[in-house]
Structure formats: C-alpha cells, structure tokens
C-alpha cells in the first residue's frame, strides 16, 4: 500500500487545481478524508481480523461499494460541504477510487477486493510500479522507505501535480 500521505495526495492536489471556483474547502477536506478512510481497516489486525478476510486489509473498505458509500455520504452532507449535488457525489467517490487504484499499483500484499460484495477476489493492475509501504513507519527511514517515496512521487504525486496544472490552466479559460 502507498503511505497514507500519498493516498491523500491525489484528491488534495487535484482539488487544489479546482479550488476555489469549483470545490469548497469543506468538500476538499471531506475528499481527503474519504481517500485515507479505507486504510482504517488496519484496526482489524488488532481485533484478530485476518488480512485476507472480506473485512481484512484491502477488503470491503477498498471496494467500489465503499467508494459509492462515500459518494452517498457526500450527497447527504452536500449542504454542509457547500457543494452542488454532482460534485458532492462524484468527488468523494473518485477520492476512494484513487485509493483503490494506487493500492492496485503496489508491488505487495494480497491485492484489492475492488468488486466486493459481488466478488471477494483480490485484484492488482497488470503493472505494479509502486513499492509497497511497510506497516511500521520506522521502516520508512531506511533505503526501503526511500524507494517507496521515490515510486510514490513518480507514479502518484507527479501525475497529480500535472493534472492540477492542466486543470488550473483549463479552468481559468472556462467560466463555471
């Protein structure tokens, strides 16, 4: 899995590209929360939930159903998020989807139960260029941690920054 900071990167950087004309600060913060929320399933390790179980790490919380639930939550909270209906649904959904995709791009683990509850099989994308992040944060301070940071920068941060720049340029030319 990428680090939790990197999971927040895609919605944060791309949201900054849309701000302030298209996305409120409240919705942006909500999307960042939605993007990191799936990894709270690691609490299951302490509760005896096995990694490969449906509710284990990268299980149900990493599914399109979980992404849809965040989109529904955005719809319910749209007034508090100061967002239009479509943005309140789509952006939180995409935030979780970015988490799912980045996990499917990593080089370790059991894969992602993207299609749960219809299919509990774990999936990866055909390429896995992102080094899997260690669970113990102390291991981010050695050479493995450096390799994780480099691959996360190349395959998540850099593309997100490019999208942000393109979005900024495009939205300056188009009136909302």
């Amino acid at each position: 899995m990428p680090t939790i900071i990197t999971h927040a990167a895609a919605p944060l950087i791309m949201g900054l590209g849309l701000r302030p004309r298209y996305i409120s600060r409240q919705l942006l913060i909500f999307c960042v929360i939605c993007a990191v929320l799936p990894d709270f399933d690691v609490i299951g390790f302490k509760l005896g939930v096995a990694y490969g179980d449906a509710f284990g790490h990268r299980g149900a919380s990493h599914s399109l159903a979980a992404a849809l639930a965040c989109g529904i939550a955005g719809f319910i909270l749209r007034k508090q998020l100061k967002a239009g209906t479509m943005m309140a649904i789509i952006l939180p959904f995409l935030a979780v989807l970015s988490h799912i995709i980045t996990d499917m791009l990593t080089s370790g683990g059991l894969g992602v139960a993207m299609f749960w509850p219809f299919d509990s099989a774990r999936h990866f994308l055909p390429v896995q260029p992102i080094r899997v992040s260690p669970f113990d944060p102390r291991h981010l301070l050695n050479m493995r941690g450096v390799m994780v940071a480099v691959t996360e920068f190349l395959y998540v941060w850099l593309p997100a920054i490019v999208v942000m720049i393109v979005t900024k340029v495009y939205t300056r030319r188009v009136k909302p």
Side-chain angles (χ1 to χ4, degrees):
M1 75 180 175
T3 59
I4 199 152
I5 295 166
T6 291
H7 280 310
L12 181 61
I13 292 171
M14 288 186 259
L16 291 173
L18 292 171
R19 280 206 90 265
R21 282 172 81 178
Y22 296 95
I23 182 171
S24 69
R25 176 171 283 135
Q26 294 88 336
L27 180 57
L28 179 57
I29 291 168
F30 183 71
C31 288
V32 169
I33 291 167
C34 288
V36 300
L37 198 58
D39 277 344
F40 280 87
D41 64 6
V42 296
I43 293 169
F45 290 138
K46 296 284 185 194
L47 302 173
V49 178
Y51 190 132
D53 287 351
F55 291 96
H57 185 53
R58 291 185 174 180
S61 67
H62 287 64
S63 67
L64 292 173
L68 181 60
C70 283
I72 292 168
F75 171 76
I76 292 167
L77 298 170
R78 68 189 179 282
K79 285 190 171 66
Q80 293 86 341
L81 298 174
K82 297 183 178 163
T85 300
M86 292 308 291
M87 292 294 259
I89 295 168
I90 293 170
L91 293 181
F93 177 86
L94 291 176
V96 177
L97 184 61
S98 74
H99 184 119
I100 293 167
I101 291 170
T102 55
D103 275 4
M104 291 175 77
L105 287 167
T106 60
S107 62
L110 300 178
V112 176
M114 184 176 189
F115 302 109
W116 179 91
F118 305 107
D119 176 16
S120 59
R122 304 293 183 104
H123 304 276
F124 283 106
L125 289 174
V127 295
Q128 294 103 35
I130 301 172
R131 295 286 303 265
V132 69
S133 176
F135 283 114
D136 187 340
R138 292 176 294 179
H139 294 290
L140 290 172
L141 303 174
N142 59 24
M143 192 51 135
R144 179 177 174 202
V146 170
M147 291 308 298
V148 168
V150 167
T151 60
E152 287 182 3
F153 177 77
L154 288 173
Y155 297 103
V156 180
W157 288 85
L158 195 57
I161 290 168
V162 168
V163 169
M164 179 190 72
I165 292 168
V166 169
T167 302
K168 277 281 191 201
V169 169
Y170 179 76
T171 57
R172 284 195 177 137
R173 294 185 177 160
V174 176
K175 292 184 180 186

